[in-house]
């Protein structure tokens, strides 16, 4: 008898929809295959089977989505354009703030060729089939349901399977992990509703129609449940949710060969299996959260032996020609705990499916090639932490004090680190606070709020190189009332470092690129004070250092003359500061440049222009040109533009036209006007506006 809560099975498609043959559906599937697989991956539940099985299942669902014959397509737009008003209305219903830029209207990294899907019945049909099969792929509907009811362990389905490889997407940052956890708490239909809104940009009516056709019992309830998760469309393009960009690791290669030989020999099967499960315990066997061991060569075995870890003497850094992580001594009250070190090395070499692994962009997450260097092993808050260095990366292993379940493994690239970049590492984060492990050359540590540059730094105690807890920057989501940074003092001076959600804090500097930069904490803090909030956009990007450079100051026009003349700069109105911030990464690429505009008395600077992987504001090209629309106190709109030192003229074309000699341009205009900027340098070379 059918349950009263079971949904009535809908028709496969409306009878009045256009007919779609196999060829048309196959063309849509091939063209949009990565997007369909990402859609299935996001809708599928996180458990059971781990990320590897979820990847294979998403590919299998999409590849089985083709119809067997001519089928009527659902009358639903494949990729409708959602108007600004529709987005604002939906944001008001769900309690979210609407996006203010066109770039925020679609997930970063996703296909914005909407015309290829809009009105395509083949794409609509394949997408509907993917959603339907993904909703049916719930663990409660699998063959293990009756075994669960009988109290027996659930057996994983035999297919899909990739023999010899373990496949899983690349790990994202803390934001992606938080979104994954929030989505995993939703039901299948609610997850599908959230993904169709964010990835496919469907309206609520279209989402309700897709869910109903896919067999969801309560589409309206699924939409309401999806409203609990805030819109994070920018994260949907992350590698964390891309099942087409995968990492591969081998499985038990030698075991498969031995089993094949055992099958051929027939009489030696028990001997071979006994040899497989009776590997000698020489210090690199399975421990804690590590996966089962596979064949390792002698170099790999040596890398997993706690007794062969490199330990540096505490005085080496004083006479060494290098001052980086390679001269850090081994510290911590558990540096002699061989069991903890063995588990950390084993998890690094072969992390189990339950280990949370993260890495900064451009950082490989494979095992060490040889015995790494031990930097720290000790208890931090409610966890046991081990920090290792292999010359290229910092690896941080953490496990709860009551066992190895819930272990985490984090990687950060640190090759080419200098004295400033190797001054501190993040030991742990707890309750919004951060503990740091400082370099042996650090003599004092303090906490400073960038938003309060005139306040004195608060002292932090140092015990064995470990600081007392420091409140993290901007602890409240959406708030930037404060931005706490770490202030370190050594024989070379005082510097500021900020936590951007990674293992290695970023160094904050100020001054013209290529020149002697300010290193005193108070001076850097005063430069950064109006622009501290912009550091939030640089989280989880592998940032090594961020420099702020005041490249121009511009008098602000206040009001027009009484006779209707041109706007005149008012001395009492003050001058605005133009600041260029440049974030350098450990991997070299991915640099982020922002030109920011700050008016006197304003609480924070405004990002006027930004770009990635450009030479502006760097040592190779210390020049920049940017503009902004600004409204005076009299209600008049102006185009204000400024170039760095050496700019002899600035010209605006397009919606606003005009030229000014020197590096400053002030033109009266209208709200919403757009213009292209071009300047001329002293040597005659042109410079274009940053964008």
């Amino acid at each position: 008898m059918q349950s009263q809560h079971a949904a009535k099975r809908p028709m496969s498609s409306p009878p009045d929809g256009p007919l779609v043959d196999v060829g048309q559906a196959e063309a849509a599937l091939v063209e949009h295959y990565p997007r369909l697989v990402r859609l299935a991956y996001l809708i599928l539940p996180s458990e059971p089977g781990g990320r590897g099985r979820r990847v294979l299942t998403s590919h299998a669902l999409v590849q089985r989505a083709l119809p067997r014959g001519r089928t009527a397509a659902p009358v639903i737009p494949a990729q409708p354009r959602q108007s600004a008003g529709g987005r604002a209305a939906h944001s008001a219903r769900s309690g979210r703030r609407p996006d203010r830029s066109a770039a925020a209207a679609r997930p970063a990294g996703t296909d914005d060729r909407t015309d290829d899907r809009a009105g395509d019945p083949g794409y609509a049909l394949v997408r509907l089939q993917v959603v339907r099969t993904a909703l049916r792929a719930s663990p409660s509907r699998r063959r293990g349901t009756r075994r669960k009811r009988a109290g027996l362990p659930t057996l994983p389905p035999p297919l899909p399977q990739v023999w010899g490889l373990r496949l899983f997407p690349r790990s994202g940052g803390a934001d992606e992990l938080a979104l994954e956890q929030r989505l995993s708490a939703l039901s299948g239909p609610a997850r599908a509703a959230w993904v169709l809104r964010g990835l496919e940009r469907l309206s609520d009516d279209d989402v309700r129609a897709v869910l109903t056709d896919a067999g969801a019992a309560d589409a309206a309830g699924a939409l309401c449940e999806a409203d609990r998760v805030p819109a994070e469309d920018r994260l949907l393009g992350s590698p964390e949710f891309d099942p087409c960009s995968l990492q591969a690791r081998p499985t038990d290669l030698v075991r498969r060969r031995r089993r094949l030989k055992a099958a051929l020999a027939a009489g030696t099967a028990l001997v071979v299996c006994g040899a497989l499960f009776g590997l000698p315990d020489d210090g690199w066997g399975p421990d804690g959260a590590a996966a089962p061991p596979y064949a390792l060569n002698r170099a790999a075995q040596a890398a997993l032996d706690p007794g062969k870890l490199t330990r540096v003497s505490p005085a080496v850094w004083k006479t060494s020609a290098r001052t980086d992580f390679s001269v850090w001594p081994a510290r911590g009250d558990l540096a002699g705990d061989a069991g903890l070190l063995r588990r950390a090395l084993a998890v690094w070499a072969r992390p189990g499916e339950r280990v949370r692994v993260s890495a900064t962009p451009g950082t490989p997450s494979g095992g060490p090639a040889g015995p790494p260097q031990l930097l720290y092993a000790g208890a931090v808050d409610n966890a046991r932490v081990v920090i290792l260095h292999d010359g290229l990366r910092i690896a941080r292993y953490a496990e709860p004090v009551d066992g190895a379940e819930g272990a985490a493994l984090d990687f950060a690239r640190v090759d080419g680190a200098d004295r400033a970049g190797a001054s501190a590492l993040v030991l742990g984060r707890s309750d919004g606070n951060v503990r740091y492990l400082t370099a042996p050359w650090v003599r004092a540590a303090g906490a400073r709020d960038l938003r309060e540059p005139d306040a004195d730094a608060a002292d932090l105690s140092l015990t064995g190189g470990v600081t007392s807890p420091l409140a993290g920057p901007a602890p409240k989501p959406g708030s930037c009332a404060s931005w706490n940074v770490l202030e370190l003092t050594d024989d070379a001076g005082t510097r500021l470092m900020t936590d951007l959600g990674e293992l290695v804090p970023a160094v904050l500097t100020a001054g013209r690129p290529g020149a002697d930069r300010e290193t005193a904490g108070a001076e850097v803090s005063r430069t950064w004070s109006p622009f501290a909030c912009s550091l939030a956009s640089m989280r989880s990007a592998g940032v090594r250092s961020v420099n702020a450079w005041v490249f121009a100051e511009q008098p602000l026009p206040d009001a027009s003359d009484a006779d209707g003349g041109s706007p005149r700069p008012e001395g009492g109105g003050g001058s605005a500061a133009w600041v260029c911030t440049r974030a350098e990464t450990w991997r070299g690429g991915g640099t982020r440049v922002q030109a920011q505009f700050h008016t006197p008395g304003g609480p924070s600077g405004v990002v006027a222009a930004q770009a990635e992987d450009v030479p502006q504001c760097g040592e190779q090209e210390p020049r920049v040109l940017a503009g902004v629309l600004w409204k005076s106190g009299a209600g008049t709109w102006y185009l204000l533009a400024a170039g760095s030192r050496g700019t002899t003229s600035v010209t605006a074309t397009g919606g606003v036209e005009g030229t000014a000699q020197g590096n400053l341009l002030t033109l009266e205009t209208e709200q919403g006007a757009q213009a292209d900027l071009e300047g001329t340098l002293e040597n005659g070379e042109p410079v274009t506006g940053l964008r």
Side-chain angles (χ1 to χ4, degrees), residues 6 11 17 36 45 162 199 214 265 323 374 387 438 459 493 506 527 542 583 616 654 676:
M11 298 176 60
L36 291 168
V162 176
L199 188 65
T323 49
L374 176 63
I387 296 184
T438 61
D459 293 336
T527 302
Q616 283 92 331
D676 295 326

Side-chain angles (χ1 to χ4, degrees), residues 224-613:
C224 294
E225 184 180 355
D227 287 340
R228 302 175 187 172
V229 178
E232 294 285 350
D233 300 346
R234 63 182 178 84
L235 298 179
L236 294 180
S238 168
E240 175 85 13
F241 308 118
D242 185 7
C244 290
S245 178
L246 304 174
Q247 298 183 92
R249 293 291 185 273
T251 58
D252 47 343
L253 306 176
V254 173
R255 183 177 299 180
R256 294 203 313 272
R257 293 184 59 191
R258 290 181 178 177
R259 285 182 176 176
L260 179 60
K261 293 179 180 179
L264 296 176
T268 60
L270 294 177
V271 177
V272 173
C273 291
L276 289 174
F277 293 101
L279 293 173
D281 184 11
D282 56 359
W284 55 271
D287 290 283
Y294 46 84
L296 298 173
N297 56 34
R298 291 185 177 181
Q301 293 183 26
L304 301 183
D305 186 353
K308 295 184 179 180
L309 284 172
T310 301
R311 298 170 185 258
V312 176
S313 171
V316 168
W317 68 272
K318 297 180 180 180
T319 57
S320 174
R322 301 174 58 180
T323 49
D324 55 15
F325 293 108
S326 65
V327 296
W328 277 34
R331 289 171 287 181
D333 55 351
L334 298 179
D337 189 336
L340 173 63
L341 299 178
R342 180 183 297 110
R343 291 193 298 274
L345 292 169
V347 171
W348 185 355
R350 48 183 197 281
E353 293 184 355
R354 296 184 180 274
V355 177
R356 182 186 63 80
V357 181
S358 67
T360 57
T363 305
S365 57
Q373 175 188 354
L374 176 63
L375 303 185
Y376 181 86
V380 181
D381 297 326
N382 296 321
R384 289 185 290 264
V385 176
V386 177
I387 296 184
L388 304 165
H389 176 230
D390 68 349
L392 173 68
R393 302 163 293 173
I394 293 292
R396 176 185 178 273
Y397 169 79
E399 65 180 24
V401 293
D402 54 355
E405 289 295 326
L409 184 64
D410 303 308
F411 295 96
R413 185 171 174 176
V414 293
D415 52 317
D418 55 9
R419 184 186 184 99
S423 293
L425 290 173
V426 173
L427 268 185
R429 299 180 179 90
S430 178
D431 298 329
N433 297 321
V434 186
R435 287 186 186 269
Y436 294 92
L437 177 66
T438 61
W441 52 83
V442 172
R443 294 187 286 105
R448 183 180 290 275
D449 185 358
L450 285 184
R451 302 289 287 158
E452 299 290 341
D454 297 328
D456 295 333
D459 293 336
L460 295 177
S461 63
L462 282 177
T463 305
V466 179
T467 68
S468 54
L470 165 65
K476 296 181 180 179
S479 171
C480 193
S482 65
W483 190 277
N484 297 322
V485 296
L486 177 67
E487 183 177 272
L488 299 178
T489 303
D490 57 24
D491 294 336
T494 301
R495 60 181 53 90
L496 297 182
M497 309 187 78
T498 182
D499 176 23
L500 295 180
E502 299 174 340
L503 282 179
V504 185
V507 180
L508 297 181
T509 58
R512 180 179 175 83
D516 293 335
R517 296 176 179 175
E518 301 165 355
T519 58
E523 296 176 358
V524 176
S525 180
R526 277 191 290 271
T527 302
W528 269 103
S529 177
F531 313 102
C533 299
S534 65
L535 291 169
S537 64
M538 304 172 189
R539 292 181 185 272
S540 303
V543 175
R544 177 175 185 168
S545 63
V546 193
N547 182 58
W549 170 38
V550 182
F551 67 89
E553 291 188 356
Q554 185 170 20
L556 293 174
D558 188 16
S560 298
D561 292 331
D563 59 357
S566 60
R568 53 185 174 85
E570 295 288 346
S575 298
W578 285 94
V579 172
C580 188
T581 60
R582 180 179 177 90
E584 302 283 357
T585 65
W586 288 98
R587 63 189 183 279
T591 57
R592 183 171 301 176
V593 177
Q594 293 180 338
Q596 303 193 49
F597 179 77
H598 180 235
T599 57
S604 300
V606 177
V607 177
Q610 59 183 347
E612 292 188 3
D613 291 324

Side-chain angles (χ1 to χ4, degrees), residues 42-46 54 96 173-188 190-192 194-195 225-236 240-241 477:
L42 286 165
I43 295 177
L44 286 171
S46 300
R54 188 177 169 193
R96 295 189 295 267
D175 292 341
E176 287 85 351
L177 177 61
L179 177 59
E180 176 71 12
Q181 292 174 345
R182 287 194 292 266
L183 290 181
S184 64
L186 298 179
S187 64
R191 252 191 332 270
W194 194 94
V195 174
E225 184 180 355
D227 287 340
R228 302 175 187 172
V229 178
E232 294 285 350
D233 300 346
R234 63 182 178 84
L235 298 179
L236 294 180
E240 175 85 13
F241 308 118

